[in-house]
């Protein structure tokens, strides 16, 4: 049994630690002088959290979805401008139907709920053609309904894979120049990294300053591969449904303490 399990099963200890975490969080928040503009989040650990809690996989995914609005509230409080939430990877699409179908429904409800708050600009990123028509339609509707809002831009990465994104960007570049009649030789002469960046799903946005991954895993797994070249990374042991504001503030404090040299 881990420390978190002991805390969860001991109400008195949970109450005392909760008070201490709130005081700690308030102190960290007051002293934050620099916060990231763009935070990417790999929301990992829903299934493991559910297993530890004695619940079903669907229960874990639902609790993970329930955490999103709370997390965005923390981002609002700390003046973060762009958040990218990895909700479903292209690899996840190969999961068994008995898990994937309910998960897609949870994602649809979560995105619809975020749009209904009228606080966030929703932008789907991913290969929507790989998704069921209903899911893709709901994502597009949420984007259209919130495109005029001025709150945090929330990229919902559904059916997303970093390699797919780069391949799509290159494909778009080649098609555009083929339509113009540009030869391969001419394209080779002018090709620059910005030509790729301009065709990524996140075009027009700042690259992520900070990428957070929950559940203790320390890898990107294909998340924002191009955009994260100069990102800072923070790996947290907590599973996503158990991710707390104090965990988020620790990530921001770690980010603030790092000296970003961009290769210089």
């Amino acid at each position: 049994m881990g420390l978190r399990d002991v805390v969860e099963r001991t109400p008195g200890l949970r109450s005392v630690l909760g008070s201490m975490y709130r005081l700690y969080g308030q102190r960290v928040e007051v002293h934050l002088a620099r916060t990231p503009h763009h935070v990417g989040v790999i929301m990992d650990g829903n299934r493991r959290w559910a297993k530890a809690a004695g619940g079903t996989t669907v229960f874990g995914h639902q609790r993970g979805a329930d955490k999103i609005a709370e997390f965005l509230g923390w981002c609002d409080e700390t003046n973060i401008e762009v958040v990218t939430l990895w909700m479903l990877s292209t690899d996840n699409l190969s999961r068994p139907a008995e898990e994937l179908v309910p998960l897609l429904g949870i994602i649809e409800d979560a995105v619809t709920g975020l749009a209904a708050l009228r606080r966030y600009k929703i932008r789907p990123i991913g290969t929507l053609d790989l998704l069921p028509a209903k899911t893709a339609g709901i994502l597009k509707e949420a984007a259209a309904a919130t495109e005029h809002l001025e709150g945090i831009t929330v990229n919902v990465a559904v059916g997303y894979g970093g390699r797919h994104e780069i391949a799509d960007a290159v494909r778009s570049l080649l098609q555009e120049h083929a339509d113009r009649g540009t030869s391969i030789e001419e394209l080779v002469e002018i090709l620059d990294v910005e030509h790729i960046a301009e065709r990524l799903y996140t075009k027009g946005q700042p690259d992520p300053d900070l990428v957070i991954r929950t559940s203790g895993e320390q890898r990107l797994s294909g998340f924002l591969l191009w955009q994260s070249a100069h990102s800072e990374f923070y790996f947290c042991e907590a599973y996503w449904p158990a991710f707390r504001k104090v965990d988020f503030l620790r990530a921001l404090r770690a980010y603030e303490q790092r000296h970003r040299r961009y290769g210089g």
Side-chain angles (χ1 to χ4, degrees):
M1 181 183 296
L3 177 58
R4 285 178 180 268
D5 295 321
V6 173
V7 171
E8 286 300 317
R9 298 182 186 188
T10 312
L13 179 58
R14 186 167 66 243
S15 177
V16 170
L17 287 178
S19 297
M20 292 174 62
Y21 283 137
R22 281 192 295 274
L23 290 172
Y24 171 81
Q26 290 168 3
R27 181 175 180 181
V28 171
E29 198 167 354
V30 165
H31 289 90
L32 283 174
R34 178 172 63 96
T35 55
H37 297 290
H38 182 174
V39 173
V41 188
I42 303 173
M43 306 183 298
D44 196 18
N46 292 340
R47 294 189 294 181
R48 281 170 284 169
W49 177 87
K51 183 177 180 180
T56 64
T57 295
V58 173
F59 174 62
H61 289 315
Q62 185 60 63
R63 287 296 295 269
D66 294 341
K67 176 64 63 173
I68 292 172
E70 183 180 13
F71 176 78
L72 291 176
W74 305 335
C75 292
D76 258 333
E77 293 169 5
T78 46
N79 300 316
I80 289 165
E81 299 168 3
V82 182
V83 175
T84 299
L85 304 171
W86 201 5
M87 304 180 77
L88 186 79
S89 73
T90 50
D91 292 337
N92 295 154
L93 293 171
S94 64
R95 289 182 178 179
E98 57 267 27
E99 179 182 354
L100 182 59
V101 172
L103 175 54
L104 288 171
I106 289 168
I107 290 171
E108 292 166 4
D109 291 343
V111 173
T112 299
L114 290 178
L117 292 175
R118 313 296 294 170
R119 294 172 59 187
Y120 308 115
K121 182 180 295 187
I122 309 298
R123 282 192 57 178
I125 65 172
T127 311
L128 299 189
D129 292 346
L130 296 178
L131 301 176
K134 179 188 174 188
T135 305
I138 287 173
L139 295 175
K140 292 174 183 177
E141 288 171 8
T146 61
E147 62 181 351
H148 64 286
L149 300 179
E150 297 184 358
I152 295 175
T153 295
V154 180
N155 298 318
V156 289
V158 184
Y160 175 86
R163 290 178 175 178
H164 282 81
E165 178 178 24
I166 295 170
D168 281 348
V170 173
R171 190 178 298 111
S172 172
L173 175 67
L174 292 175
Q175 185 62 60
E176 179 181 326
H177 281 275
D179 293 343
R180 292 183 188 174
T182 307
S183 70
I184 290 295
E185 292 77 13
E186 290 171 327
L187 182 55
V188 167
E189 288 295 322
I190 65 171
L191 184 62
D192 188 77
V193 293
E194 289 306 316
H195 292 112
I196 305 295
E198 290 166 357
R199 291 163 176 81
L200 296 173
Y201 302 148
T202 57
K203 60 186 176 185
Q205 299 180 5
D207 288 339
D209 304 290
L210 173 66
V211 174
I212 299 171
R213 180 167 190 158
T214 58
S215 86
E217 304 292 349
Q218 298 189 23
R219 59 182 183 273
L220 281 180
S221 300
F223 182 59
L224 300 179
L225 289 177
W226 183 283
Q227 299 92 327
S228 63
H230 296 293
S231 300
E232 300 294 332
F233 301 102
Y234 185 84
F235 300 105
C236 177
E237 291 294 325
Y239 297 137
W240 173 249
F243 190 68
R244 305 159 301 179
K245 184 176 183 181
V246 69
D247 297 316
F248 176 60
L249 292 174
R250 282 172 175 163
L252 295 188
R253 185 184 65 174
Y255 168 80
E256 182 186 38
Q257 292 173 342
R258 297 177 191 178
H259 176 55
R260 306 188 72 198
R261 292 181 292 274
Y262 300 97

